[in-house]
Amino acid sequence: MHKKITLNAPPSKSVSHRALLAAGLAQGTSELENVLVSEDILRTRDCLAALGAVFSGTDSEPVVKGLGGRIKGPFLDPVKLDVGESGTTCRLLAAIVSAGQGSFEISGSGRMHQRPVKSLGQSLEGQNVRFKYLGLDGCPPVRIETSGLPGGLITVSLDESSQYLSGMLMAATMAGSSLVINIGGKKVVSWPYVNLTLQAMQRFGNPAQLQTLQEGQWRHADPDRIQHVEPGKIRFVVQPGVFSPVRYRVEGDFSNASYLLAAGAVGELPVEVCGLDLESRQGDRRILEILELMGAKVAATHDGVMVSPARLHGVDLDMGTCPDLVPTVAVVASMATGATRISNVAHLRIKESDRLAGVQQEVSRAGCRCRLTEDGLEMEPAELVRGGEIHFKTYGDHRMAMSLSLYELAGIRVSLDNPACVNKSFPGFWDEWKKVRRAYAGRGD
């Protein structure tokens, strides 16, 4: 009998961060729904609380009394902000507190104290903001001393992360006058995440204006129509103002749904993932296009999207706009026929782990021929080590743990050194994955 596996997408981590931050800065009380409950999101909530925002309700449906666009801390005794291992919390909050007044100290754990924020600090040097690094130069822990952003002109580089820009867009609402944010650097990575920030700002009542350089003139542009972003030819104009409180429901997460969707491509049973918005601005919605390019069948359903298995083949992918999908795609590619090349993701070396080196090591452990390139991976699938148990390293990285679990569908008994690291972004992953295991355990021949 034909059978499908029905799974549920978790709430979006990226949207949850931005909804909490906008609600935390708003004038009044917002009601949020379907917020992801994970370690990273709790760090954002706790940092906002340390700044003075007031939370009630539940973790998944918080009621947030915002700061009214005013962040203040003493200059001599900095407000302590523990971001844990959340890079998003660190980078967005570093920009946001720079628009406040006082002294703020951001610290974390794990690899956070090796993850750079110097580019943001350099951007803010002309805005009465000082970054004092208390450990490695350019990395947290960092003390930020500020008397507020006067406004004017600032240039933000997106070579390492789009999160600097996302943070500055929100911070700009608290500036003394309008702030023009130019895009500098040599390239732009993770651009779709900026679109999620623009969406949140618009929903909370203080939208940013995007402008592109056309024939020597700056002209307004629709963010949804921007396909290619070139430094020096795009900028944002943000007027000072306070976010308005709203009722806001967080959509499902394509990043964390990618492992569940991929299970439909590499296994023998179709997988339906419920709770995904096919019109989402999330860049990781591209997982559907990538799985289709590799040969899987993808179809919209009433509740979400269905991926059905087919013979998979290798592809050549620029994944600069969706780097969080790289571990998922690499594991799928290792089960395909033909070579796969993944490029434009050099910034994965500064994630929770050196995610490029980690992926290369672990797919090689499963039997795939994989080599590192300057900005990505080249993979040539070989016969996988099926039928036995493989002990995989997760490097404490949630995305490694979830993607490597897909090898169970290739007949490998997967053993992970730290399965609990999924709590960083998807605490319910193993509950959903048990449904996959049960479906296969209950199959007749």
Side-chain angles (χ1 to χ4, degrees):
M1 185 177 84
H2 182 71
K3 185 178 181 182
K4 71 173 181 180
I5 305 171
T6 301
L7 305 173
N8 296 304
S12 167
K13 182 163 81 88
S14 300
V15 176
S16 293
H17 278 301
R18 287 156 176 79
L20 279 173
L21 289 166
L25 293 175
Q27 177 78 59
T29 301
S30 298
E31 298 178 18
L32 306 183
E33 300 174 354
N34 199 40
V35 172
L36 178 68
V37 182
S38 75
E39 291 174 358
D40 280 15
I41 299 302
L42 293 176
R43 295 286 71 74
T44 290
R45 184 201 67 184
D46 290 350
C47 287
L48 285 167
L51 293 169
V54 178
F55 290 82
S56 57
T58 65
D59 290 344
S60 62
E61 296 194 349
V63 178
V64 188
K65 184 179 179 182
L67 296 163
R70 291 184 296 275
I71 295 176
K72 289 193 175 182
F75 278 92
L76 297 179
D77 184 20
V79 178
K80 301 292 179 64
L81 303 171
D82 180 0
V83 301
E85 294 191 64
S86 177
T88 305
T89 307
C90 176
R91 288 175 173 145
L92 268 64
L93 265 180
I96 287 169
V97 299
S98 295
Q101 291 187 336
S103 181
F104 308 89
E105 190 172 304
I106 295 176
S107 63
S109 56
R111 267 175 58 98
M112 185 53 63
H113 290 178
Q114 290 92 49
R115 298 180 70 178
V117 294
K118 192 168 189 175
S119 175
L120 177 63
Q122 291 171 332
S123 296
L124 286 162
E125 285 175 355
Q127 291 281 321
N128 301 333
V129 182
R130 185 180 180 192
F131 278 43
K132 299 173 78 172
Y133 302 104
L134 308 178
L136 287 179
D137 182 47
C139 299
V142 59
R143 182 174 298 165
I144 300 172
E145 297 173 348
T146 177
S147 53
L149 305 179
L153 181 67
I154 188 173
T155 299
V156 177
S157 168
L158 271 65
D159 287 358
E160 293 174 349
S161 174
S162 66
Q163 291 167 351
Y164 300 135
L165 174 58
S166 285
M168 282 309 309
L169 286 166
M170 287 191 163
T173 63
M174 295 181 281
S177 63
S178 64
L179 188 65
V180 177
I181 306 173
N182 284 329
I183 307 304
K186 298 178 180 177
K187 64 178 182 177
V188 174
V189 298
S190 306
W191 176 255
Y193 291 97
V194 176
N195 219 346
L196 294 181
T197 305
L198 298 175
Q199 185 178 47
M201 293 176 67
Q202 185 168 25
R203 183 66 188 277
F204 281 83
N206 195 353
Q209 294 180 348
L210 184 152
Q211 299 179 345
T212 56
L213 190 61
Q214 302 174 40
E215 299 174 349
Q217 300 289 322
W218 288 105
R219 296 177 180 163
H220 294 306
D222 181 351
D224 288 328
R225 296 180 178 274
I226 300 295
Q227 300 296 323
H228 177 68
V229 183
E230 187 177 340
K233 295 188 176 180
I234 190 166
R235 72 180 190 181
F236 295 87
V237 180
V238 184
Q239 302 298 334
V242 183
F243 288 129
S244 302
V246 299
R247 188 179 185 92
Y248 189 95
R249 182 175 179 81
V250 174
E251 64 185 84
D253 192 326
F254 273 93
S255 308
N256 281 335
S258 70
Y259 320 104
L260 311 179
L261 295 164
V266 301
E268 297 178 6
L269 295 172
V271 171
E272 180 184 25
V273 180
C274 302
L276 294 172
D277 177 6
L278 296 185
E279 300 301 315
S280 172
R281 292 186 184 184
Q282 292 177 57
D284 286 356
R285 187 183 66 170
R286 193 176 167 215
I287 186 63
L288 302 177
E289 173 196 335
I290 291 171
L291 292 175
E292 269 195 319
L293 282 172
M294 298 182 82
K297 298 171 185 172
V298 177
T301 67
H302 178 71
D303 296 315
V305 63
M306 176 105 72
V307 178
S308 302
R311 185 173 175 82
L312 302 176
H313 53 79
V315 286
D316 192 336
L317 298 169
D318 178 331
M319 296 185 68
T321 61
C322 53
D324 283 346
L325 295 179
V326 167
T328 315
V329 172
V331 171
V332 172
S334 72
M335 302 187 214
T337 59
T340 288
R341 182 174 180 270
I342 295 170
S343 61
N344 199 22
V345 289
H347 52 297
L348 284 180
R349 298 184 188 278
I350 55 172
K351 292 288 188 176
E352 286 83 344
S353 64
D354 179 340
R355 202 172 273 165
L356 279 183
V359 168
Q360 188 269 336
Q361 287 285 328
E362 302 314 304
V363 299
S364 298
R365 202 183 302 275
C368 178
R369 291 189 292 270
C370 181
R371 81 175 186 89
L372 290 168
T373 65
E374 185 178 345
D375 69 343
L377 298 165
E378 288 183 351
M379 305 174 60
E380 186 71 51
E383 190 64 34
L384 295 181
V385 185
R386 301 174 192 269
E389 182 174 6
I390 298 180
H391 299 280
F392 289 105
K393 289 181 65 178
T394 62
Y395 309 90
D397 188 330
H398 54 132
R399 302 209 182 280
M400 292 293 293
M402 292 185 276
S403 58
L404 292 168
S405 300
L406 290 165
Y407 280 125
E408 290 185 24
L409 303 183
I412 296 171
R413 293 200 305 278
V414 173
S415 170
L416 301 175
D417 64 351
N418 184 7
C421 66
V422 302
N423 292 334
K424 188 174 191 296
S425 68
F426 192 174
F429 174 76
W430 296 118
D431 292 330
E432 294 303 308
W433 197 249
K434 280 177 188 172
K435 298 175 187 177
V436 177
R437 290 170 174 161
R438 282 199 296 267
Y440 280 91
R443 288 182 74 209
D445 291 330

